[in-house]
Structures are given as structure tokens and as C-alpha cells.
Amino acid sequence: MKPSERVAQVPPSGIRRFFELAEEMDDIISLGVGEPDFSTPWAAREAAIASLEQGKTSYTANRGRRELRERIETHVDSNYDLDYDADEEILVTAGASEGLDLAFRALVNPGDTVAVAQPSYVSYVPGVVFAHGEVLPVPTRREDEFKLTREVLEDAGAEAADLLVMCYPNNPTGATMTAEDLEEVAAFAREHDLGVLSDEIYAELTYEHDHTSIATLPGMRERTVVFNGFSKAYAMTGLRLGYALGPPDIVGAMNRIHQYTMLSAPTTAQYAAIEALDSCDDAVRDMCEQYDRRRKLVLSRFEDMGVDCFRSSGAFYAFPESPWEDPGEFAEALLEAERVAVVPGTAFGEGGENHLRVSYATGMDDLKEAMARIARFVD
């Protein structure tokens, strides 16, 4: 036996490579992996523990516990003006990543073209490839603050695509888009009958304006699937719980795949998520405030070093230009010399060249030390 050509052509994740290198060294401060350093809020953990003590370890409904779907329905309506029916239009998944994989497999026919706004999270392109689709990179630009614009869509030829994948707040750049910014993307999608997969896992983590979902704009709800979850805002990465919102026929098709592959999302995590939505808003606000303080520290320190750094306004990433011509060589040398792990922007596709992704999801003390080490290395 041997792997299929389709799978064999997909390289290992550039993020995991630096994570694995860092694991082999001592005294490492990792600014490479996008994982909160906070623990899951205690109330959510207590709910998870209680569910285990009560023996609630069976499968749930394929779509997720109805109690959780109802909470999600209320949450997205009150926070983002998104109106979705708990029975037909919400699917609970094993992380937002599973939701995206389901959408690719449910929507992409062999040979379909999927436009991917880049730099982008590392799973989008492989997900399209695994679904037998053709990837069309849409590189965003620093001069546009890494926002998706009509111009870059037209330059990439995205009018010929079947789907568009976008992520705002963005991983890896930390860019965000306002309602006004999104209007021209929505107009482009309507004009060219383009479906949209909108990864909004960082929606809670915006610092300079409120988050807007493209699905709230005129004519977009029926052509958009929205992905969110509990990993980032609620610090529940290991509990693997996300959700997808979309038209009934699309969510139904995604659930058809989900029920044969995953069956249902983790039961214990669903009980934790119900409690998180019920009582953990204050904890989320506190974490968001702390991320904002870290963001300001990182941006200030790069400015002091003379390193040009994009002013991120969401998620928990900074996206500075690499002090060296080759960001991969810089990242490896920094790791070896100063024991600080960052990720070269090239790991995130076109538009990431000459940049580094620096996660400030780590604690403030470690972050200060890491920035001091980077400054020493750059000097």
C-alpha cells in the first residue's frame, strides 16, 4: 500500500514543524502555536467534570445536543446579529476545523475552483485538495492592511471560482474587516454567484472595532457558511468543539458526512460549552483585555527594534516583516540562538512572504522575555 498522490503532494504543516523543533530544546518560549495560555474558565470545567461524574458519556445527536444548539442560536443572534435555527441550520462539530473539512467535502465537486484568501490558516489549502478541488490563491496585501478587497479578488481571477474561503479576524496576520470593508466582498460574491466559507473563530477577539459577519450583509446569508467555536475565545482548544451555521440544505449535507465519520462531537465538551455560553462572558472579556495588553506590548517592542510590524487588530497574532530576507532561515536561527519559536509567514501561503507570525497567546512574563531575546538577536 502507498498513500494516494493527492495526499502525498500535501506537505506537513509549517506550524507543526517549528513546534516539533522547539519540543526538542530546553528553555524554549514558543510564540509559534496559536493556543491560549489560559485555562478553560472554571465554571465550564466544573460542568465537564459534573457530566463525567453523572455518567453522561454517551453519544449525542449527530447535530449536537439540542440544548447546546439553542444556546449557540441565542449567542450568535445577540452578539453578531446572526439568525440561525437550532434544528436546521446549526451543526456542532469537533472543532471549527472539522466544520471546514465537512464543508469542503459537501460543497466541492472534483475540479471545482476554491479561492482562498491568503495568508491563511494552514488547513484550508489541504482541505480543498483532499476534497478534489482546485485552489486559487487570493493574496491580500500589506498596503490594504491584509484585507480582502475587490481589487485583489479581480486580480486573482476569483470571479471564475465556485467558493471563497476567508478568515477575519485573520490567522496569521491579525487583520480585521469592518462592515464597510466586507460590503465590497459581498457585492463581488453576489455578482459572480460565489459561495463563501467564513471562518470566524476569532470573532470574540477584536480590539479596535466590533466584529461583523459577512453573512449579515444583504444577499449573503443564503450563500455563506459561518464557522466558529470554543477553542480560542473560551480557551477550550483540547476539548475540540466548534460549530457551523448555514442554509438548511448545506448544513444537512455537512451533517450527512459528519454522521458517518465523526458521528457526534465530544459529549463532555458539549456540556462544558453549554456552561461557557451561560456564565463565562466575563472570563472571555478578561482574556480579551489581557490579549489586547499583550498585543500593544508586542507592537511597541517591534517598533523599538526598528522592525516593521503590521498593526494587528484581532486574533492573537502579530505579523512583522522578517529582519532577514529568508524568514525561514531567520526563524530557525532565532530558535537556535535565543530559544524563541516563531513561524515564517511562508507557511501560510501567498502574501506571507518576508513575514513572521508571532503569537502573543503566551503569558505576559514569557512574552516580555521572548521579546527581549528577539531584540537581542536582531541588534
Side-chain angles (χ1 to χ4, degrees), residues 36 38-45 204-205 232-236 275-291 293:
F38 300 105
S39 296
T40 302
W42 180 240
R45 282 183 279 158
E204 304 273 2
L205 304 180
K232 309 301 182 179
Y234 293 90
M236 289 170 54
E275 185 62 33
L277 291 175
D278 279 351
S279 66
C280 295
D281 285 352
D282 287 345
V284 172
R285 279 191 289 269
D286 180 63
M287 286 187 280
C288 189
E289 289 172 0
Q290 294 193 52
Y291 288 137
R293 287 195 289 272

Side-chain angles (χ1 to χ4, degrees), residues 113-116 135-139 149-164 188 192 194:
T113 299
V114 181
V116 179
V135 175
L136 176 68
V138 181
T149 67
R150 173 181 283 273
E151 184 177 355
V152 299
L153 286 163
E154 291 174 346
D155 287 348
E159 67 277 358
D162 300 285
L163 287 172
L164 168 67
F188 184 91
H192 300 289
L194 192 61

Side-chain angles (χ1 to χ4, degrees), residues 77-203:
D77 186 17
S78 60
N79 285 274
Y80 309 118
D81 198 26
L82 290 166
D83 181 17
Y84 287 94
D85 178 70
D87 290 324
E88 300 291 334
E89 300 178 316
I90 298 175
L91 175 63
V92 179
T93 59
S97 292
E98 192 221 350
L100 281 152
D101 179 60
L102 294 173
F104 290 139
R105 289 196 277 168
L107 293 169
V108 178
N109 290 302
D112 280 357
T113 299
V114 181
V116 179
Q118 296 186 337
S120 65
Y121 178 50
V122 295
S123 75
Y124 301 157
V125 169
V128 174
V129 172
F130 295 153
H132 299 268
E134 302 293 333
V135 175
L136 176 68
V138 181
T140 58
R141 305 177 300 203
R142 170 65 185 275
E143 56 264 34
D144 298 325
E145 298 179 336
F146 293 110
K147 296 176 181 180
L148 189 59
T149 67
R150 173 181 283 273
E151 184 177 355
V152 299
L153 286 163
E154 291 174 346
D155 287 348
E159 67 277 358
D162 300 285
L163 287 172
L164 168 67
V165 184
M166 56 187 288
C167 173
Y168 289 94
N170 183 261
N171 174 12
T173 65
T176 57
M177 293 182 68
T178 64
E180 292 74 17
D181 296 327
L182 289 167
E183 283 173 358
E184 65 179 82
V185 179
F188 184 91
R190 292 192 299 267
E191 289 169 20
H192 300 289
D193 195 23
L194 192 61
V196 176
L197 305 183
S198 183
D199 184 351
E200 301 177 20
I201 189 68
Y202 296 98

Side-chain angles (χ1 to χ4, degrees), residues 68 191-192 283 286 310 315 334 345 356:
L68 174 56
E191 289 169 20
H192 300 289
D286 180 63
F310 168 66
L334 176 66
L356 305 163

Side-chain angles (χ1 to χ4, degrees), residues 31 295-310 318-321 323 330 342 356-358 371 374-375 378:
L31 307 182
R295 175 182 74 105
K296 291 172 181 175
L297 168 74
V298 169
L299 294 175
S300 174
R301 293 294 286 119
F302 277 127
E303 184 178 5
D304 292 344
M305 294 176 214
V307 173
D308 186 24
C309 184
F310 168 66
F319 206 58
E321 289 192 4
F330 177 87
V342 300
L356 305 163
R357 191 189 76 170
V358 176
M371 296 308 294
I374 294 172
V378 169

